[in-house]
Amino acid sequence: MSRNHLASETLLKNLQVPQGDKTYEKILDAGLALFVEFGLRRTTMEDVASRAGIGRATAYRRFADKDQLIQVVILRECQQQLAMIEGDLKNVDGGLERVLESFVLAVTRAHRHPLLKRLLTSEPEIILPLLTQRLWQMMGFFRTYLAALLQVEQDNGEIRPQPMEPLAELMLRLMQSMVLSPDGLLNPADVASVRRVANDYLRPLLTP
């Protein structure tokens, strides 16, 4: 079983995600599209059902309310981004380089993700508490996930021996700061800028 599959199971362990339920997937797709187009506040479950081409009752049989739908949409986006990043890392040689590139990919893709961009622009009062005060709810998963990735490279002698979870949390908090406060010298919109951060500040912490 791949690390990404294990990560996906961990990420969704408290949610009942039916396998092969096309209607469920259509609801998620419709929810994502409407959240990007209109935001969270203006989107109703009735809107989602209509966009998905199903009845309101059918939508509510799969999601108790809009809050649950929002949660699963966000978690599915996290899953998909992790899968994309892991796929890209297969083309990177060297464990240390893979770790640094994972940081670059995570920061730049989070910054340009259409849902996050939409919410930070139009509904910061909704999304910012989720990504600041309540971040610990997601941070635990991502810290464990990243620490496992780092541990593999440490076991292979590719990065310096050290406790992995504090290092993973440090990297995650740096990502969070860059994505939520993009104005400055450390520009998440500029791949070269993010790569300089990785090389100048993370490489010395990781190099054996």
Side-chain angles (χ1 to χ4, degrees), residues 19 45 58 60 69 73 89 100 112 130 139 143 165:
Q19 299 297 314
M45 286 294 285
T58 301
Y60 276 109
L69 175 61
V73 166
L89 293 179
L100 296 176
R112 67 173 183 257
L130 293 175
M139 180 71 83
R143 182 180 62 242
E165 289 220 4

Side-chain angles (χ1 to χ4, degrees), residues 3-185:
R3 183 173 61 246
N4 185 65
H5 185 69
L6 289 171
S8 298
E9 286 191 345
T10 303
L11 189 59
L12 297 170
K13 67 180 179 180
N14 294 321
L15 300 169
Q16 293 183 353
V17 181
Q19 299 297 314
D21 187 334
K22 299 300 184 183
T23 299
Y24 191 93
E25 294 295 328
K26 286 168 64 176
I27 296 170
L28 291 177
D29 291 341
L32 175 61
L34 289 169
F35 295 152
V36 171
E37 188 173 353
F38 298 109
L40 303 181
R41 189 185 297 105
R42 292 174 56 195
T43 299
T44 67
M45 286 294 285
E46 289 74 15
D47 295 330
V48 174
S50 178
R51 176 68 69 94
I54 61 173
R56 178 176 178 273
T58 301
Y60 276 109
R61 278 197 293 271
R62 287 166 172 79
F63 297 93
D65 52 32
K66 187 173 75 172
D67 286 344
Q68 186 187 42
L69 175 61
I70 291 169
Q71 182 184 23
V72 181
V73 166
I74 291 174
L75 290 174
R76 187 180 68 157
E77 289 304 295
C78 291
Q79 270 190 302
Q80 292 177 349
Q81 291 300 314
L82 286 176
M84 291 171 60
I85 288 172
E86 288 212 351
D88 288 341
L89 293 179
K90 292 178 182 178
N91 299 319
V92 178
D93 293 329
L96 175 56
E97 302 309 318
R98 281 192 294 272
V99 171
L100 296 176
E101 188 64 15
S102 71
F103 174 84
V104 174
L105 292 173
V107 170
T108 54
R109 289 184 178 173
H111 173 73
R112 67 173 183 257
H113 192 283
L115 180 58
L116 185 57
K117 287 179 67 174
R118 175 69 163 86
L119 298 180
L120 286 174
T121 300
S122 64
E123 297 179 279
E125 73 281 1
I126 294 177
I127 194 64
L128 285 175
L130 293 175
L131 298 177
T132 53
Q133 295 101 317
R134 292 170 58 188
L135 183 67
W136 64 269
Q137 295 173 320
M138 293 289 285
M139 180 71 83
F141 161 75
F142 286 111
R143 182 180 62 242
T144 300
Y145 174 81
L146 181 56
L149 184 152
L150 293 168
Q151 189 64 57
V152 169
E153 304 303 350
Q154 179 180 281
D155 292 345
N156 291 334
E158 298 285 346
I159 64 174
R160 179 186 302 174
Q162 58 187 293
M164 291 295 99
E165 289 220 4
L167 177 60
E169 184 163 321
L170 174 65
M171 293 175 65
L172 289 169
R173 290 186 180 277
L174 180 55
M175 291 178 199
Q176 175 202 24
S177 177
M178 293 181 71
V179 171
L180 298 185
S181 302
D183 297 327
L185 296 177

